[in-house]
Amino acid sequence: MFPAPFEYHRATSIDETLALLAKHGGDARVLAGGQSLIPAMRFRLARPAVLVDINALHELSYLREEGGMLAIGAMTRDAALETSALIASKYPLLADTSALVADPVVRQSGTVVGSLCHNDPAGDWGVTALAGRAQIVIRNASGTRTVAIDDFLVDSFTTAVGEGELALEVRFPTPPPRTAGSYQKIERKVGDFATASAAARITLDADGAITGAGVAIGAAGPHAMRVRDAEQLLQGAKPTKELIRAAADAARALADPVADNRGSVEFKKDMAGVLVGRALIAAIGRLGVEGLR
Amino acid sequence: MNISVTVNGKPYQRDVEPRTLLVYFLREALGLTGTHVGCDTSSCGVCVVVLDGDRAVKSCTMFAAMADGHEITTVEGLVQGGKLHPLQQAFWDCHGLQCGYCTPGMLMTSYALLKHQPNPDEPAIREALSGNLCRCTGYQNIVKAVQQAAAETNAPAPEPVAT
């Protein structure tokens, strides 16, 4: 299938991008890696009249730490995270995620910010962004604002990015000492949408108690969801098998998946719990605490 | 719109509709039918071409307009001076294909892999090719072929024979 006809603009600056987006309003979509948008257009699930291609904006392709945050630009591709020494050494949650998005060829084009803006219910980055307490920087002609990921993910395929706006970057707080994360996903085959997915990010204090907990699940609702009940259970507690089981059960209770040929509602709810458990065990294991399996 | 691309070292200028997908541009506008169309939905990898020397892309999921000003390498660009590329020779030697439909994508994904990782181990090869489907070979000989090509590419040049 071919996409419906559209008008193509290749932007050469952020200002030009914003001007084009302002001019075309709701008719326009930003084209970054295109790995979600182009298939959606081919299936006629999306029919933007105007595409503003930002692939030439090399200034939006970066991974940099500044002000206690890791900033990932709008044109930073998944493969850049997968091969980054900084990500491998300090951001295991992001390293895990970047290695599980779609397939290795798709990751050479797809972008982190583009995936967040697409906000597919089964997308990977929304789950990780919730667990990692990310923020999105959004710019329009009159200025820049920063939106917490919880407010950014509005509904399936809908985000806080409004007409005339460009998501410039996503920022992940740099992990404090004794912090690790993990992303877990079940898929029928490489490149398929997740059957279920989960992310966890845990900080331990010197006594081994949890002082920071981020837990989220994917493919279990209209978009990635924070498992607040699990986070509250974990906060202040010492990791035990029972605690992890309780956090996993909180994910099972929250999960509201749709049955399809990847699995029944019952199976997917269970997998949300299983994967939260695995993500917690892996994250805490990375901090040297074993014996939770 | 008018686009200029360099494909396998040769410059082309063509008028395209913005919605023209790169794989159809290569096959129908340029007549380069070595790049295949498979699933047409970014799943199978038979349409992989290499952009700007080292980036593997699924050409069914990229607009030709996005390639304007860029360099593309397709399977037709692998042969140099009438000699098969080491990857092509290795696929031949190792029987890395049966029906051959997936082969252009396998070759181009492997080509980009070797640009980034000249010496990949077997798990790295299997991972890199995990977005390329083959329904004949069971992948064993494809992996062997990539290993052989990597070994050959990295081998020191033969010593000149003393005369």
Side-chain angles (χ1 to χ4, degrees):
Chain A
M1 272 247 279
F2 296 98
F6 58 87
E7 195 179 305
Y8 173 87
H9 296 277
R10 180 178 295 189
T12 55
S13 69
I14 293 172
D15 285 345
E16 187 190 0
T17 306
L18 294 174
L20 284 164
L21 293 173
K23 181 181 169 196
H24 295 287
D27 293 336
R29 287 288 297 270
V30 174
L31 174 63
Q35 300 302 290
S36 297
L37 180 58
I38 295 174
M41 290 173 67
R42 299 195 64 169
F43 287 114
R44 309 281 172 117
L45 300 170
R47 292 183 78 142
V50 176
L51 285 188
V52 181
D53 181 355
I54 61 167
N55 277 271
L57 304 187
H58 301 295
E59 64 268 38
L60 290 180
S61 178
Y62 54 82
L63 285 170
R64 59 180 175 232
E65 287 184 310
E66 54 192 7
M69 296 273 188
L70 170 77
I72 304 172
M75 270 317 302
T76 305
R77 304 185 196 276
D78 291 309
L81 277 79
E82 210 181 346
T83 55
S84 156
L86 171 70
I87 299 298
S89 64
K90 280 178 72 175
Y91 297 89
L93 171 59
L94 275 62
D96 278 4
T97 313
S98 66
L100 284 173
V101 172
D103 70 51
V105 175
V106 169
R107 296 199 290 270
Q108 293 174 53
S109 289
T111 64
V112 178
V113 172
S115 166
L116 288 168
C117 290
H118 186 61
N119 198 10
D120 191 291
D124 300 288
W125 283 112
V127 187
T128 290
L130 284 167
R133 299 193 192 281
Q135 307 166 355
I136 320 289
V137 179
I138 300 172
R139 186 176 292 178
N140 60 30
S142 55
T144 301
R145 63 199 169 96
T146 302
V147 180
I149 185 68
D150 300 75
D151 300 321
F152 180 82
L153 305 175
V154 173
D155 201 349
S156 301
F157 307 107
T158 305
T159 69
V161 178
E163 290 182 11
E165 293 192 319
L166 174 67
L168 268 192
E169 67 181 28
V170 57
R171 293 179 179 168
F172 283 86
T174 300
R178 293 213 79 194
T179 299
S182 171
Y183 180 67
Q184 304 280 330
K185 171 175 169 178
I186 295 175
E187 52 188 359
R188 295 180 302 178
K189 60 171 272 294
V190 167
D192 188 25
F193 288 102
T195 302
S197 67
R201 181 178 181 270
I202 293 292
T203 304
L204 298 179
D205 68 10
D207 295 329
I210 295 169
T211 55
V215 180
I217 54 176
H223 51 77
M225 296 191 292
R226 180 181 299 288
V227 191
R228 270 176 228 287
D229 289 349
E231 291 178 348
Q232 280 165 14
L233 283 167
L234 294 162
Q235 186 70 32
K238 286 204 175 181
T240 61
K241 286 183 185 176
E242 293 69 31
L243 181 68
I244 286 169
R245 201 169 299 134
D249 284 340
R252 285 186 179 88
L254 177 70
D256 185 19
V258 178
D260 58 16
N261 50 12
R262 294 176 186 83
S264 64
V265 168
E266 187 189 13
F267 172 71
K268 290 184 175 186
K269 279 175 83 79
D270 193 40
M271 288 308 105
V274 167
L275 294 187
V276 163
R278 284 184 195 168
L280 286 168
I281 291 166
I284 297 167
R286 283 172 164 161
L287 298 170
V289 180
E290 302 291 345
L292 295 171
R293 203 167 293 280
Chain B
M1 62 181 290
N2 194 264
I3 65 168
S4 304
V5 293
T6 302
V7 182
N8 303 328
K10 192 174 163 193
Y12 296 89
Q13 263 201 7
R14 291 288 188 281
D15 277 317
V16 297
E17 262 195 276
R19 63 175 174 162
T20 306
L21 294 149
L22 180 59
V23 67
Y24 293 97
F25 173 76
L26 292 169
R27 289 176 58 85
E28 291 169 10
L30 305 188
L32 295 169
T33 53
T35 304
H36 292 166
V37 177
C39 70
D40 220 9
T41 55
S42 185
S43 299
C44 77
V46 306
C47 67
V48 170
V49 300
V50 170
L51 195 72
D52 297 331
D54 67 352
R55 193 177 130 208
V57 299
K58 293 189 175 178
S59 60
C60 75
T61 305
M62 177 170 176
F63 295 117
M66 297 168 77
D68 186 19
H70 291 269
E71 286 182 24
I72 297 158
T73 310
T74 69
V75 69
E76 290 96 337
L78 291 181
V79 169
Q80 294 294 325
K83 193 168 177 288
L84 290 180
H85 186 276
L87 274 164
Q88 292 174 305
Q89 187 63 51
F91 269 66
W92 182 320
D93 294 344
C94 299
H95 200 61
L97 61 143
Q98 288 177 33
C99 84
Y101 201 84
C102 72
T103 310
M106 291 287 177
L107 287 168
M108 300 319 292
T109 301
S110 304
Y111 178 89
L113 168 69
L114 296 183
K115 291 283 177 190
H116 291 280
Q117 278 182 265
N119 228 335
D121 58 13
E122 190 193 323
I125 294 169
R126 288 187 180 275
E127 163 68 17
L129 291 174
S130 60
N132 293 69
L133 301 184
C134 172
R135 299 288 81 154
C136 306
T137 63
Y139 304 98
Q140 294 292 94
N141 291 344
I142 292 174
V143 174
K144 269 188 213 160
V146 179
Q147 284 174 309
Q148 177 183 312
E152 274 172 21
T153 312
N154 294 323
E159 295 283 322
V161 180
T163 50

